[in-house]
Amino acid sequence: MTAHQDVPYVEQQVTPPADLRERTSEVGDTEFTGTCPVCHGPNVMALPQVSPGTVPKAWPWKRNGGSAAPAVEPHPMHCECPVTHPEDPLEQGGCGAWWPVVPQSATAGGA
């Protein structure tokens, strides 16, 4: 594992990290972990599950008589390492890098 690097903050899309992992948390949420490919900081992102009946009104594709769910959209996973990088305008941590993630359950016909 490479040590964290104090690179300047730059908002940019990057290739997902090689160690990107998906798991289900204790509360049933999908959780992604991985090391930022830019600054090598640790990252965790949870995608809360939406239970049936919790969304007011049906999805538009259901309301309009559609039978298929919309295409699976990737979620942006932002670097949220606990370090304030130089030139970070909000000084909240993270180097500004982000990469797309798609839950396996969504690609397997779930979610």
Side-chain angles (χ1 to χ4, degrees):
M1 182 171 168
T2 305
H4 187 270
Q5 296 179 9
D6 198 20
V7 298
Y9 179 91
V10 176
E11 291 183 16
Q12 59 183 320
Q13 181 178 354
V14 297
T15 302
D19 67 345
L20 183 66
R21 299 290 180 263
E22 176 183 350
R23 71 178 195 91
T24 302
S25 73
E26 295 161 0
V27 296
D29 294 341
T30 299
E31 188 174 86
F32 288 95
T33 59
T35 304
C36 175
V38 176
C39 73
H40 306 290
N43 285 271
V44 177
M45 180 182 86
L47 293 174
Q49 296 294 324
V50 178
S51 300
T54 60
V55 177
K57 299 185 181 178
W59 294 102
W61 51 271
K62 283 288 192 187
R63 279 197 309 268
N64 298 331
S67 59
V72 176
E73 296 279 332
H75 298 274
M77 182 172 175
H78 296 269
C79 175
E80 294 183 357
C81 69
V83 174
T84 300
H85 286 265
E87 302 174 32
D88 178 357
L90 300 176
E91 297 182 354
Q92 294 181 345
C95 70
W98 66 274
W99 49 93
V101 295
V102 177
Q104 291 298 320
S105 60
T107 59

